Amino acid sequence: MAPAGGLTLTQAGTGAATRAELAERYAHLTEVLHRHAQSADTAAALPEEVFAALRASGILGAAVAVEYGGQGGDSLLTNRLIELTAAADPSVAIILFQHYAVSSRISEWGSEAQKERYLPRLASGEWIAASAWSESGSGADKRNLATKARRTQGGGWLLEGAKAFTTGAGLADVYLVLAQTSAPTDGVASTYGSDGQTFFLIEAGNPGLFANTGMDLVGMRSSATGFVELTACAADDSAVLGPVGAAVRIIAGVRESGATLGAVSAGIAAAAYRTAFTHARRRGLKDQQAVRHRLVDLAAQVEAARSLVDASARRDSAEPGNTTLYSKILCSRISEEVVQEALRLLGSAGYLHDHPLNKLARDARAVGLMGPTNDLARELVSAPWTAA
């Protein structure tokens, strides 16, 4: 029987698998993730058993069309899989989120040759993908990139620069790299990215790409989040994803896709609620009305987060892009609140460094800092309000 609070969610009416069905389908994977989560956090690295389970589960192909060996899933499916994974280990969930994001960008903007080369490998789990967009000096809005790509005499490209906070650095087989290929024009305004930028698919075997996972993170410690350096990194035109100089169009379309990091937060909140409920049951606290009512409040917050994640994926609101941003802002706040209330409910039982709730608290905080950061998400929603 499920815990009180309505957490046995039903079909959303879109044909997507329910959360219960997905939990059953990927039970082995989530068991492996949950079993290694604490030790992986301590070591700041995922063991090979986790990667073997990921590759074997088929979950990596959820965002890839069936014709390329994937599941052909939409954002409703991928969001629910991100949530399911985050409930077991949030670090793996953000690796999976980035893998889905790159898979989707290739599906949307890739040439047929790019689709044939990358999508079957990404779907099968042979390859893992990562996004390399952020830079230490450019801010979250990606408008002042130091990474440059210039034309060579031979007709290809040479990339120079460095990326920071790249999730999956050193693990990925292919990186979606954002670089400035021409100077931005004054006539094009954007809150996230700018014109004159181009996306490149750079494979890990490129001798000009160096990954460094030396970041000592507070949360999401086993996500291999680190630096990617590009030094005399040569690429030909086949590496360009989408139109040259028009990456801002690709970036603008991401929030319209319905994929949301709010799904990571929903998974964290669900895991924290489940921990609090289990503690109350084992300690005989569920007979206390005050404890039951606190658990109901937590369950309601989890349900609200899940509902907003589903709403983002369905893209049927008046402004779907804004709904996606709302889901990240609100769900990341909910997850932090649920974890903290769960810790208060546990009392001294949770006041141990290695208690799983303390790991979840550190992981929950990280989501609001991921791109677009929550402050940038607020700006993306509110900036049009100032237009004449």
Side-chain angles (χ1 to χ4, degrees), residues 54-55 58-64 78 82 92-107 118-131 167-168 171-174 176:
L54 268 176
R55 298 179 198 279
I59 199 171
L60 290 165
V64 176
T78 55
I82 293 295
V92 177
I94 61 171
I95 293 173
L96 188 60
F97 182 89
Q98 295 298 339
H99 179 85
Y100 287 161
V102 176
S103 299
S104 296
R105 302 297 81 76
I106 296 173
S107 297
Y118 293 110
L119 293 182
R121 291 177 169 87
L122 297 178
S124 68
E126 177 187 352
W127 281 14
I128 292 176
S131 297
T167 295
L171 301 179
D173 301 279
V174 59
L176 182 59

Side-chain angles (χ1 to χ4, degrees), residues 82-210:
I82 293 295
E83 178 194 318
L84 177 69
T85 305
D89 187 350
S91 286
V92 177
I94 61 171
I95 293 173
L96 188 60
F97 182 89
Q98 295 298 339
H99 179 85
Y100 287 161
V102 176
S103 299
S104 296
R105 302 297 81 76
I106 296 173
S107 297
E108 294 166 357
W109 293 90
S111 66
E112 190 54 43
Q114 288 172 331
K115 292 177 182 178
E116 290 177 356
R117 174 166 180 76
Y118 293 110
L119 293 182
R121 291 177 169 87
L122 297 178
S124 68
E126 177 187 352
W127 281 14
I128 292 176
S131 297
W133 299 15
S134 298
E135 296 181 3
S136 297
S138 67
D141 57 15
K142 314 292 189 289
R143 286 185 291 181
N144 302 296
L145 292 181
T147 300
K148 311 294 183 185
R150 60 178 177 83
R151 279 289 192 185
T152 63
Q153 290 184 343
W157 298 88
L158 203 64
L159 284 73
E160 298 276 354
K163 298 296 182 178
F165 290 98
T166 298
T167 295
L171 301 179
D173 301 279
V174 59
Y175 296 84
L176 182 59
V177 177
L178 182 63
Q180 198 77 39
T181 48
S182 62
T185 59
D186 294 335
V188 177
S190 172
T191 309
Y192 198 19
S194 73
D195 65 320
Q197 295 175 352
T198 304
F199 278 118
F200 294 85
L201 290 165
I202 306 297
E203 296 178 15
N206 189 308
L209 184 146
F210 305 89

Side-chain angles (χ1 to χ4, degrees), residues 2-49:
L7 294 188
T8 51
L9 296 189
T10 57
Q11 194 111 350
T14 63
T18 66
R19 286 177 168 86
E21 290 167 343
L22 293 174
E24 182 177 359
R25 185 182 307 168
Y26 295 101
H28 174 69
L29 172 63
T30 55
E31 186 277 326
V32 171
L33 299 186
H34 189 268
R35 174 155 43 88
H36 288 285
Q38 203 71 21
S39 59
D41 180 78
T42 301
L46 293 170
E48 184 53 42
E49 186 179 352

Side-chain angles (χ1 to χ4, degrees), residues 139-142 191-192 325 371-381:
D141 57 15
K142 314 292 189 289
T191 309
Y192 198 19
L325 295 172
T373 64
N374 282 3
D375 280 343
L376 178 55
R378 294 181 182 99
E379 182 63 13
L380 289 168
V381 173

